[in-house]
Amino acid sequence: MKIEFELNGQKVSVDVEPTMRLLDVLREHFGLIGVKEGCGEGECGSCTVLLDGKAVPSCLVPVGMVMGRRVMTIEGYRKTKKFKVLLDAFAEAGAVQCGFCTPGIIMAVESLLSENPHPTDEEIRRGLSGNLCRCTGYNMIVNAVKLAAQKGAGLW
Amino acid sequence: MVNAYRPSTIDEALRIRNETKALPLAGGTDLMVRYKNWAGLPPKFSQPVMFVAHLHELKGIEVEGDELIIRSATTLTELLKDGRVPEVLKLAVKEMASPLVRNIATIGGNICNASPAGDTLPPLYALDAKVVLRSVEGERTVPIEDFITGPGQTVLKENEILCEIRIPMDEFDSIFYRKVGTRRANALSKVSFVGLKNLQGDRIDDIRIAFGAVAPTVVRSRDAEKMLKGIKIDEIEQIYPSIEAKYAELIRPIDDQRSTAEYRKIVSLRLLRFFLLGKAD
Ligand SMILES: Cc1cc2nc3c(=O)[nH]c(=O)nc-3n(C[C@H](O)[C@H](O)[C@H](O)COP(=O)(O)OP(=O)(O)OC[C@H]3O[C@@H](n4cnc5c(N)ncnc54)[C@H](O)[C@@H]3O)c2cc1C
Ligand code: FES
Ligand code: FES
């Protein structure tokens, strides 16, 4: 099946088995390896991408489902102003260690802030509850999000 | 063999379903895990699948007369955002999966999956929800407790699609929901409990109680509810032992990796006691 969608702002088309996971199509067909596979079962969030602006686990999304929709990965998001704010905030708060979870967390944070530009600690924790991090212990990530919400006020 | 269909209207979907028995795939959050394959390979579906979540006839929430209609492919995130969705259903949905999964998982998928731990089910049972099933032959409306017949078992026919969930718009003075799981996110229920109550003065006018994950299907006892209706709040204590006995008979949990049968039973009855008597022991 030919599947057309918007990927990181550009119209693309692939001819693959429509039940293939979006995760595999992004990594293998488009070389977007910022999208990571952790659990492959929707539990860890390392494969998170934005689908029409909302964070979803791409390991659970068959590519046939994204027909005509907008997909954004960390590679596309990097070019935005908001990313720059998040990058600085994550660096300042020490919220990145091995970095495996980071692309997924950044996408989940974008989804969270676009819904709720000034989240409380509790809202940040709930908003990121589908993203696991083995290194940071989460406090630094929560601080990074608060910092970004403050410094990037008006962007979200 | 064609492995996947992507109909553009519900009529086309019903035709395809009738001809090929293709498996409806809504959010895919149950199916993609169930048929998971090695990375890079398509999932191991044993029959053709049909995408349905994009069909606009299956999207959205609407009021018709005194019923709320939730179309089957409405996502859990969309349910949380709608002011007309009953509070008790929202309380349950808020604790399901994670925000990521809720952005794609649908209410119709949770119902058709018919897991004993399906978290929308206890609220839907307590709210007297009905499901509307369509096929090329027509439409039928079935109460939720008749739709689900066992773990993973429903009366959905091979040519039918679940299109709507219909919920009477009753209001309740007292709404109680508890999900007991191992952690806040991405944990399936060990036990869940729904209690709804309306008082008239100090008498119980309406009461609904449902338990999830403690039997093959959701436990709701119309008998016990009938015994409670019309009595005074301070009379509950006197009949409580016989009420508890009724539920104790119906609560038949299993041991599994999430919990033990004994734990589930004790917690369920404590929740019941707490809801009815305002104390846990
Ligand atoms: C990490 C994770 C955490 C989870 N946590 C929870 C939780 O806390 N509580 C919980 O209850 N569930 C949980 N789930 C399970 C799942 O997310 C829910 O059951 C979800 O609502 C399923 O909806 P879906 O649209 O993704 O279903 P799908 O996977 O698309 O479908 C599920 C079943 O329903 C059938 N179906 C779907 N739509 C229709 C239709 N319109 N007509 C006929 N048949 C249909 C499919 O054929 C399939 O058999 C979790 C899943 C994951 C991956
Ligand atoms: S790889 Fe998708 S959620 Fe873990
Ligand atoms: S920084 Fe290592 S997993 Fe999060």
Side-chain angles (χ1 to χ4, degrees):
Chain A
M1 200 184 278
K2 203 163 138 211
I3 294 144
E4 291 172 350
F5 60 104
E6 191 189 298
L7 177 57
N8 292 333
Q10 294 195 317
K11 289 223 153 49
V12 295
S13 164
V14 275
D15 199 348
V16 292
E17 187 61 59
T19 56
M20 286 278 286
R21 303 182 302 173
L22 177 61
L23 167 68
D24 293 321
V25 174
L26 292 173
R27 286 181 62 89
E28 288 169 22
H29 193 94
F30 292 103
L32 299 171
I33 55 172
V35 189
K36 308 289 181 200
E37 173 159 15
C39 66
E41 302 194 346
E43 306 211 0
C44 75
S46 60
C47 65
T48 305
V49 301
L50 299 178
L51 180 57
D52 293 333
K54 289 204 182 77
V56 302
S58 63
C59 67
L60 297 184
V61 175
V63 67
M65 201 191 283
V66 307
M67 186 102 92
R69 302 176 71 179
R70 281 179 299 123
V71 176
M72 168 105 52
T73 69
I74 191 74
E75 287 86 350
Y77 189 66
R78 283 183 68 141
K79 297 172 189 142
T80 64
K81 250 198 202 132
K82 295 174 188 170
F83 175 77
K84 181 75 175 69
V85 173
L86 287 176
L87 178 71
D88 292 344
F90 271 62
E92 194 177 328
V96 180
Q97 289 182 28
C98 79
F100 188 83
C101 68
T102 313
I105 296 225
I106 296 285
M107 302 320 280
V109 171
E110 162 58 29
S111 188
L112 168 69
L113 292 178
S114 70
E115 286 279 313
N116 179 0
H118 298 286
T120 61
D121 280 28
E122 174 68 14
E123 287 165 344
I124 295 170
R125 285 180 194 276
R126 281 188 178 266
L128 300 184
S129 60
N131 297 78
L132 301 184
C133 174
R134 297 279 274 124
C135 307
T136 65
Y138 304 101
N139 289 339
M140 283 102 121
I141 296 177
V142 174
N143 291 338
V145 176
K146 281 198 290 193
L147 206 58
Q150 201 185 335
K151 295 206 168 161
L155 279 179
W156 279 282
Chain B
M1 184 179 86
V2 183
N3 292 316
Y5 297 91
R6 201 173 188 284
S8 32
T9 62
I10 184 70
D11 289 331
E12 190 189 342
L14 292 172
R15 227 166 27 239
I16 294 171
R17 177 100 163 120
N18 194 52
E19 282 159 20
T20 68
K21 313 284 176 265
L23 185 67
L25 185 151
T29 63
D30 279 310
L31 289 177
M32 294 296 281
V33 176
R34 191 176 322 145
Y35 295 102
K36 188 181 172 203
N37 201 346
W38 297 103
L41 295 175
K44 296 182 268 193
F45 287 108
S46 48
Q47 68 191 98
V49 303
M50 173 166 67
F51 297 110
V52 297
H54 62 285
L55 294 171
H56 72 91
E57 296 97 332
L58 298 183
K59 303 288 292 176
I61 301 175
E62 211 179 291
V63 174
E64 196 182 280
D66 49 10
E67 279 185 326
L68 184 71
I69 302 177
I70 303 176
R71 296 198 210 292
S72 64
T74 302
T75 65
L76 301 180
T77 300
E78 288 161 353
L79 284 182
L80 290 178
K81 284 201 187 130
D82 195 295
R84 298 163 299 181
V85 170
E87 190 55 29
V88 66
L89 181 56
K90 283 191 184 168
L91 290 174
V93 170
K94 254 184 222 161
E95 296 197 33
M96 285 174 72
S98 68
L100 309 177
V101 173
R102 293 198 297 265
N103 280 337
I104 44 175
T106 68
I107 183 167
N110 196 245
I111 296 171
C112 291
N113 200 48
S115 161
D119 285 324
T120 67
L121 303 177
L124 292 174
Y125 272 64
L127 292 164
D128 286 335
K130 298 189 198 97
V131 294
V132 178
L133 312 172
R134 282 178 67 187
S135 73
V136 287
E137 286 147 23
E139 182 180 293
R140 58 181 179 134
T141 302
V142 182
I144 185 104
E145 66 261 40
D146 298 335
F147 179 68
I148 295 171
T149 52
Q153 304 292 315
T154 68
V155 299
L156 187 79
K157 294 198 190 120
E158 273 187 335
N159 68 347
E160 284 178 323
I161 292 178
L162 167 60
C163 291
E164 295 172 2
I165 297 96
R166 289 180 169 254
I167 305 177
M169 296 214 291
D170 299 323
E171 304 264 343
F172 295 91
D173 311 326
S174 147
I175 297 168
F176 181 69
Y177 178 76
R178 279 289 182 286
K179 167 172 173 168
V180 183
T182 33
R183 63 184 191 108
R184 275 278 191 74
N186 283 346
L188 293 185
S189 288
K190 296 176 177 191
V191 172
S192 68
F193 180 91
V194 170
L196 302 173
K197 191 164 54 192
N198 268 333
L199 296 182
Q200 202 149 53
D202 56 358
R203 284 185 191 277
I204 298 178
D205 187 43
D206 192 1
I207 190 156
R208 323 261 181 100
I209 293 168
F211 297 86
V214 296
T217 59
V218 170
V219 167
R220 183 170 169 197
S221 165
R222 309 253 171 189
D223 270 2
E225 290 174 13
K226 215 176 278 164
M227 288 165 68
L228 287 161
K229 269 181 213 166
I231 71 166
K232 284 191 182 154
I233 288 291
D234 55 15
E235 290 166 0
I236 299 177
E237 191 136 22
Q238 292 157 34
I239 64 163
Y240 185 76
S242 52
I243 299 284
E244 190 184 270
K246 279 237 177 282
Y247 287 106
E249 217 172 278
L250 297 170
I251 294 172
R252 287 173 288 129
I254 53 165
D255 286 319
D256 65 10
Q257 75 272 29
R258 290 200 298 280
S259 189
T260 64
E262 193 191 355
Y263 175 83
R264 286 186 160 112
K265 186 142 198 171
I266 293 172
V267 170
S268 312
L269 296 177
R270 288 228 173 115
L271 286 165
L272 176 71
R273 181 177 283 264
F274 183 73
F275 175 63
L276 289 177
L277 302 176
K279 55 186 181 192
D281 45 35

mmCIF file with all atom_site columns, all heavy atoms in Angstrom, chain A residues 3 10-11 15 20 33 49 75-76 87 102 111 113 120 136 148 156:
data_model
loop_
_atom_site.group_PDB
_atom_site.id
_atom_site.type_symbol
_atom_site.label_atom_id
_atom_site.label_alt_id
_atom_site.label_comp_id
_atom_site.label_asym_id
_atom_site.label_entity_id
_atom_site.label_seq_id
_atom_site.pdbx_PDB_ins_code
_atom_site.Cartn_x
_atom_site.Cartn_y
_atom_site.Cartn_z
_atom_site.occupancy
_atom_site.B_iso_or_equiv
_atom_site.pdbx_formal_charge
_atom_site.auth_seq_id
_atom_site.auth_comp_id
_atom_site.auth_asym_id
_atom_site.auth_atom_id
_atom_site.pdbx_PDB_model_num
ATOM 1   N N   . ILE A 1 3   ? 1.657  4.791  1.123  1.00 0.00 ? 3   ILE A N   1
ATOM 2   C CA  . ILE A 1 3   ? 1.251  5.603  2.265  1.00 0.00 ? 3   ILE A CA  1
ATOM 3   C C   . ILE A 1 3   ? 1.888  6.982  2.195  1.00 0.00 ? 3   ILE A C   1
ATOM 4   O O   . ILE A 1 3   ? 3.117  7.108  2.161  1.00 0.00 ? 3   ILE A O   1
ATOM 5   C CB  . ILE A 1 3   ? 1.616  4.899  3.583  1.00 0.00 ? 3   ILE A CB  1
ATOM 6   C CG1 . ILE A 1 3   ? 0.765  3.626  3.691  1.00 0.00 ? 3   ILE A CG1 1
ATOM 7   C CG2 . ILE A 1 3   ? 1.356  5.785  4.793  1.00 0.00 ? 3   ILE A CG2 1
ATOM 8   C CD1 . ILE A 1 3   ? 1.454  2.489  4.300  1.00 0.00 ? 3   ILE A CD1 1
ATOM 9   N N   . GLN A 1 10  ? 7.708  17.801 5.536  1.00 0.00 ? 10  GLN A N   1
ATOM 10  C CA  . GLN A 1 10  ? 7.742  17.520 4.094  1.00 0.00 ? 10  GLN A CA  1
ATOM 11  C C   . GLN A 1 10  ? 6.804  16.375 3.730  1.00 0.00 ? 10  GLN A C   1
ATOM 12  O O   . GLN A 1 10  ? 6.662  15.424 4.481  1.00 0.00 ? 10  GLN A O   1
ATOM 13  C CB  . GLN A 1 10  ? 9.161  17.128 3.693  1.00 0.00 ? 10  GLN A CB  1
ATOM 14  C CG  . GLN A 1 10  ? 10.110 18.297 3.858  1.00 0.00 ? 10  GLN A CG  1
ATOM 15  C CD  . GLN A 1 10  ? 11.415 18.064 3.151  1.00 0.00 ? 10  GLN A CD  1
ATOM 16  O OE1 . GLN A 1 10  ? 11.974 16.973 3.226  1.00 0.00 ? 10  GLN A OE1 1
ATOM 17  N NE2 . GLN A 1 10  ? 11.900 19.093 2.477  1.00 0.00 ? 10  GLN A NE2 1
ATOM 18  N N   . LYS A 1 11  ? 6.196  16.511 2.551  1.00 0.00 ? 11  LYS A N   1
ATOM 19  C CA  . LYS A 1 11  ? 5.334  15.427 2.069  1.00 0.00 ? 11  LYS A CA  1
ATOM 20  C C   . LYS A 1 11  ? 6.199  14.240 1.673  1.00 0.00 ? 11  LYS A C   1
ATOM 21  O O   . LYS A 1 11  ? 7.171  14.402 0.948  1.00 0.00 ? 11  LYS A O   1
ATOM 22  C CB  . LYS A 1 11  ? 4.555  15.906 0.836  1.00 0.00 ? 11  LYS A CB  1
ATOM 23  C CG  . LYS A 1 11  ? 3.489  16.911 1.168  1.00 0.00 ? 11  LYS A CG  1
ATOM 24  C CD  . LYS A 1 11  ? 2.193  16.601 0.398  1.00 0.00 ? 11  LYS A CD  1
ATOM 25  C CE  . LYS A 1 11  ? 0.971  17.102 1.131  1.00 0.00 ? 11  LYS A CE  1
ATOM 26  N NZ  . LYS A 1 11  ? 1.058  18.493 1.585  1.00 0.00 ? 11  LYS A NZ  1
ATOM 27  N N   . ASP A 1 15  ? 6.051  2.902  0.080  1.00 0.00 ? 15  ASP A N   1
ATOM 28  C CA  . ASP A 1 15  ? 5.255  1.761  -0.332 1.00 0.00 ? 15  ASP A CA  1
ATOM 29  C C   . ASP A 1 15  ? 5.709  0.568  0.505  1.00 0.00 ? 15  ASP A C   1
ATOM 30  O O   . ASP A 1 15  ? 6.685  -0.097 0.172  1.00 0.00 ? 15  ASP A O   1
ATOM 31  C CB  . ASP A 1 15  ? 5.488  1.507  -1.831 1.00 0.00 ? 15  ASP A CB  1
ATOM 32  C CG  . ASP A 1 15  ? 4.367  0.660  -2.408 1.00 0.00 ? 15  ASP A CG  1
ATOM 33  O OD1 . ASP A 1 15  ? 3.575  0.098  -1.614 1.00 0.00 ? 15  ASP A OD1 1
ATOM 34  O OD2 . ASP A 1 15  ? 4.277  0.557  -3.638 1.00 0.00 ? 15  ASP A OD2 1
ATOM 35  N N   . MET A 1 20  ? 3.355  -2.419 9.173  1.00 0.00 ? 20  MET A N   1
ATOM 36  C CA  . MET A 1 20  ? 4.701  -2.157 9.702  1.00 0.00 ? 20  MET A CA  1
ATOM 37  C C   . MET A 1 20  ? 4.618  -1.061 10.761 1.00 0.00 ? 20  MET A C   1
ATOM 38  O O   . MET A 1 20  ? 3.886  -0.095 10.598 1.00 0.00 ? 20  MET A O   1
ATOM 39  C CB  . MET A 1 20  ? 5.627  -1.637 8.591  1.00 0.00 ? 20  MET A CB  1
ATOM 40  C CG  . MET A 1 20  ? 6.089  -2.676 7.602  1.00 0.00 ? 20  MET A CG  1
ATOM 41  S SD  . MET A 1 20  ? 7.489  -3.625 8.201  1.00 0.00 ? 20  MET A SD  1
ATOM 42  C CE  . MET A 1 20  ? 8.803  -2.431 8.040  1.00 0.00 ? 20  MET A CE  1
ATOM 43  N N   . ILE A 1 33  ? 17.154 7.894  13.075 1.00 0.00 ? 33  ILE A N   1
ATOM 44  C CA  . ILE A 1 33  ? 17.485 6.998  14.176 1.00 0.00 ? 33  ILE A CA  1
ATOM 45  C C   . ILE A 1 33  ? 17.458 7.682  15.541 1.00 0.00 ? 33  ILE A C   1
ATOM 46  O O   . ILE A 1 33  ? 17.820 7.075  16.547 1.00 0.00 ? 33  ILE A O   1
ATOM 47  C CB  . ILE A 1 33  ? 18.836 6.293  13.939 1.00 0.00 ? 33  ILE A CB  1
ATOM 48  C CG1 . ILE A 1 33  ? 19.913 7.342  13.694 1.00 0.00 ? 33  ILE A CG1 1
ATOM 49  C CG2 . ILE A 1 33  ? 18.750 5.332  12.748 1.00 0.00 ? 33  ILE A CG2 1
ATOM 50  C CD1 . ILE A 1 33  ? 21.305 6.775  13.650 1.00 0.00 ? 33  ILE A CD1 1
ATOM 51  N N   . VAL A 1 49  ? 7.052  9.914  19.104 1.00 0.00 ? 49  VAL A N   1
ATOM 52  C CA  . VAL A 1 49  ? 7.063  10.936 18.047 1.00 0.00 ? 49  VAL A CA  1
ATOM 53  C C   . VAL A 1 49  ? 5.774  11.749 18.195 1.00 0.00 ? 49  VAL A C   1
ATOM 54  O O   . VAL A 1 49  ? 4.885  11.384 18.966 1.00 0.00 ? 49  VAL A O   1
ATOM 55  C CB  . VAL A 1 49  ? 7.123  10.318 16.627 1.00 0.00 ? 49  VAL A CB  1
ATOM 56  C CG1 . VAL A 1 49  ? 8.366  9.456  16.463 1.00 0.00 ? 49  VAL A CG1 1
ATOM 57  C CG2 . VAL A 1 49  ? 5.862  9.501  16.310 1.00 0.00 ? 49  VAL A CG2 1
ATOM 58  N N   . GLU A 1 75  ? 14.414 14.782 14.832 1.00 0.00 ? 75  GLU A N   1
ATOM 59  C CA  . GLU A 1 75  ? 15.220 15.361 13.751 1.00 0.00 ? 75  GLU A CA  1
ATOM 60  C C   . GLU A 1 75  ? 14.556 16.600 13.145 1.00 0.00 ? 75  GLU A C   1
ATOM 61  O O   . GLU A 1 75  ? 15.237 17.543 12.749 1.00 0.00 ? 75  GLU A O   1
ATOM 62  C CB  . GLU A 1 75  ? 15.464 14.322 12.640 1.00 0.00 ? 75  GLU A CB  1
ATOM 63  C CG  . GLU A 1 75  ? 16.471 13.220 13.005 1.00 0.00 ? 75  GLU A CG  1
ATOM 64  C CD  . GLU A 1 75  ? 15.847 12.034 13.740 1.00 0.00 ? 75  GLU A CD  1
ATOM 65  O OE1 . GLU A 1 75  ? 14.665 12.109 14.149 1.00 0.00 ? 75  GLU A OE1 1
ATOM 66  O OE2 . GLU A 1 75  ? 16.556 11.015 13.905 1.00 0.00 ? 75  GLU A OE2 1
ATOM 67  N N   . GLY A 1 76  ? 13.210 16.577 13.069 1.00 0.00 ? 76  GLY A N   1
ATOM 68  C CA  . GLY A 1 76  ? 12.499 17.735 12.538 1.00 0.00 ? 76  GLY A CA  1
ATOM 69  C C   . GLY A 1 76  ? 12.330 18.811 13.606 1.00 0.00 ? 76  GLY A C   1
ATOM 70  O O   . GLY A 1 76  ? 12.453 20.002 13.350 1.00 0.00 ? 76  GLY A O   1
ATOM 71  N N   . LEU A 1 87  ? 16.690 22.385 24.801 1.00 0.00 ? 87  LEU A N   1
ATOM 72  C CA  . LEU A 1 87  ? 18.092 21.945 24.806 1.00 0.00 ? 87  LEU A CA  1
ATOM 73  C C   . LEU A 1 87  ? 18.863 22.645 25.923 1.00 0.00 ? 87  LEU A C   1
ATOM 74  O O   . LEU A 1 87  ? 19.544 22.010 26.732 1.00 0.00 ? 87  LEU A O   1
ATOM 75  C CB  . LEU A 1 87  ? 18.723 22.254 23.444 1.00 0.00 ? 87  LEU A CB  1
ATOM 76  C CG  . LEU A 1 87  ? 20.201 21.909 23.263 1.00 0.00 ? 87  LEU A CG  1
ATOM 77  C CD1 . LEU A 1 87  ? 20.371 20.393 23.210 1.00 0.00 ? 87  LEU A CD1 1
ATOM 78  C CD2 . LEU A 1 87  ? 20.756 22.528 21.981 1.00 0.00 ? 87  LEU A CD2 1
ATOM 79  N N   . THR A 1 102 ? 16.193 10.577 25.857 1.00 0.00 ? 102 THR A N   1
ATOM 80  C CA  . THR A 1 102 ? 16.009 12.011 25.655 1.00 0.00 ? 102 THR A CA  1
ATOM 81  C C   . THR A 1 102 ? 15.148 12.396 24.436 1.00 0.00 ? 102 THR A C   1
ATOM 82  O O   . THR A 1 102 ? 14.245 13.225 24.577 1.00 0.00 ? 102 THR A O   1
ATOM 83  C CB  . THR A 1 102 ? 17.381 12.734 25.626 1.00 0.00 ? 102 THR A CB  1
ATOM 84  O OG1 . THR A 1 102 ? 18.158 12.266 26.725 1.00 0.00 ? 102 THR A OG1 1
ATOM 85  C CG2 . THR A 1 102 ? 17.198 14.235 25.742 1.00 0.00 ? 102 THR A CG2 1
ATOM 86  N N   . SER A 1 111 ? 4.605  17.925 23.620 1.00 0.00 ? 111 SER A N   1
ATOM 87  C CA  . SER A 1 111 ? 3.176  17.614 23.641 1.00 0.00 ? 111 SER A CA  1
ATOM 88  C C   . SER A 1 111 ? 2.532  18.170 24.923 1.00 0.00 ? 111 SER A C   1
ATOM 89  O O   . SER A 1 111 ? 1.460  18.787 24.894 1.00 0.00 ? 111 SER A O   1
ATOM 90  C CB  . SER A 1 111 ? 3.018  16.094 23.558 1.00 0.00 ? 111 SER A CB  1
ATOM 91  O OG  . SER A 1 111 ? 1.699  15.694 23.396 1.00 0.00 ? 111 SER A OG  1
ATOM 92  N N   . LEU A 1 113 ? 3.708  20.691 26.955 1.00 0.00 ? 113 LEU A N   1
ATOM 93  C CA  . LEU A 1 113 ? 3.703  22.154 27.030 1.00 0.00 ? 113 LEU A CA  1
ATOM 94  C C   . LEU A 1 113 ? 2.727  22.780 26.031 1.00 0.00 ? 113 LEU A C   1
ATOM 95  O O   . LEU A 1 113 ? 2.174  23.854 26.281 1.00 0.00 ? 113 LEU A O   1
ATOM 96  C CB  . LEU A 1 113 ? 5.120  22.714 26.827 1.00 0.00 ? 113 LEU A CB  1
ATOM 97  C CG  . LEU A 1 113 ? 6.121  22.403 27.949 1.00 0.00 ? 113 LEU A CG  1
ATOM 98  C CD1 . LEU A 1 113 ? 7.494  22.965 27.618 1.00 0.00 ? 113 LEU A CD1 1
ATOM 99  C CD2 . LEU A 1 113 ? 5.637  22.945 29.291 1.00 0.00 ? 113 LEU A CD2 1
ATOM 100 N N   . THR A 1 120 ? 2.388  22.241 36.673 1.00 0.00 ? 120 THR A N   1
ATOM 101 C CA  . THR A 1 120 ? 2.936  22.066 38.023 1.00 0.00 ? 120 THR A CA  1
ATOM 102 C C   . THR A 1 120 ? 3.844  20.836 38.007 1.00 0.00 ? 120 THR A C   1
ATOM 103 O O   . THR A 1 120 ? 3.843  20.068 37.040 1.00 0.00 ? 120 THR A O   1
ATOM 104 C CB  . THR A 1 120 ? 1.801  21.785 39.026 1.00 0.00 ? 120 THR A CB  1
ATOM 105 O OG1 . THR A 1 120 ? 1.149  20.564 38.631 1.00 0.00 ? 120 THR A OG1 1
ATOM 106 C CG2 . THR A 1 120 ? 0.773  22.900 39.053 1.00 0.00 ? 120 THR A CG2 1
ATOM 107 N N   . THR A 1 136 ? 18.499 9.437  35.192 1.00 0.00 ? 136 THR A N   1
ATOM 108 C CA  . THR A 1 136 ? 18.457 10.701 35.920 1.00 0.00 ? 136 THR A CA  1
ATOM 109 C C   . THR A 1 136 ? 17.668 10.687 37.220 1.00 0.00 ? 136 THR A C   1
ATOM 110 O O   . THR A 1 136 ? 17.832 11.586 38.035 1.00 0.00 ? 136 THR A O   1
ATOM 111 C CB  . THR A 1 136 ? 17.838 11.813 35.056 1.00 0.00 ? 136 THR A CB  1
ATOM 112 O OG1 . THR A 1 136 ? 16.468 11.475 34.797 1.00 0.00 ? 136 THR A OG1 1
ATOM 113 C CG2 . THR A 1 136 ? 18.573 11.992 33.748 1.00 0.00 ? 136 THR A CG2 1
ATOM 114 N N   . ALA A 1 148 ? 12.344 25.366 31.222 1.00 0.00 ? 148 ALA A N   1
ATOM 115 C CA  . ALA A 1 148 ? 11.984 25.647 29.823 1.00 0.00 ? 148 ALA A CA  1
ATOM 116 C C   . ALA A 1 148 ? 10.666 26.415 29.755 1.00 0.00 ? 148 ALA A C   1
ATOM 117 O O   . ALA A 1 148 ? 10.521 27.359 28.970 1.00 0.00 ? 148 ALA A O   1
ATOM 118 C CB  . ALA A 1 148 ? 11.883 24.341 29.040 1.00 0.00 ? 148 ALA A CB  1
ATOM 119 N N   . TRP A 1 156 ? 5.011  28.500 23.869 1.00 0.00 ? 156 TRP A N   1
ATOM 120 C CA  . TRP A 1 156 ? 4.035  27.401 23.827 1.00 0.00 ? 156 TRP A CA  1
ATOM 121 C C   . TRP A 1 156 ? 2.617  27.916 24.003 1.00 0.00 ? 156 TRP A C   1
ATOM 122 O O   . TRP A 1 156 ? 2.390  28.938 24.585 1.00 0.00 ? 156 TRP A O   1
ATOM 123 C CB  . TRP A 1 156 ? 4.354  26.362 24.912 1.00 0.00 ? 156 TRP A CB  1
ATOM 124 C CG  . TRP A 1 156 ? 5.430  25.433 24.466 1.00 0.00 ? 156 TRP A CG  1
ATOM 125 C CD1 . TRP A 1 156 ? 5.299  24.372 23.612 1.00 0.00 ? 156 TRP A CD1 1
ATOM 126 C CD2 . TRP A 1 156 ? 6.817  25.472 24.824 1.00 0.00 ? 156 TRP A CD2 1
ATOM 127 N NE1 . TRP A 1 156 ? 6.503  23.757 23.417 1.00 0.00 ? 156 TRP A NE1 1
ATOM 128 C CE2 . TRP A 1 156 ? 7.449  24.403 24.145 1.00 0.00 ? 156 TRP A CE2 1
ATOM 129 C CE3 . TRP A 1 156 ? 7.593  26.312 25.634 1.00 0.00 ? 156 TRP A CE3 1
ATOM 130 C CZ2 . TRP A 1 156 ? 8.820  24.134 24.252 1.00 0.00 ? 156 TRP A CZ2 1
ATOM 131 C CZ3 . TRP A 1 156 ? 8.944  26.050 25.753 1.00 0.00 ? 156 TRP A CZ3 1
ATOM 132 C CH2 . TRP A 1 156 ? 9.559  24.975 25.075 1.00 0.00 ? 156 TRP A CH2 1
#
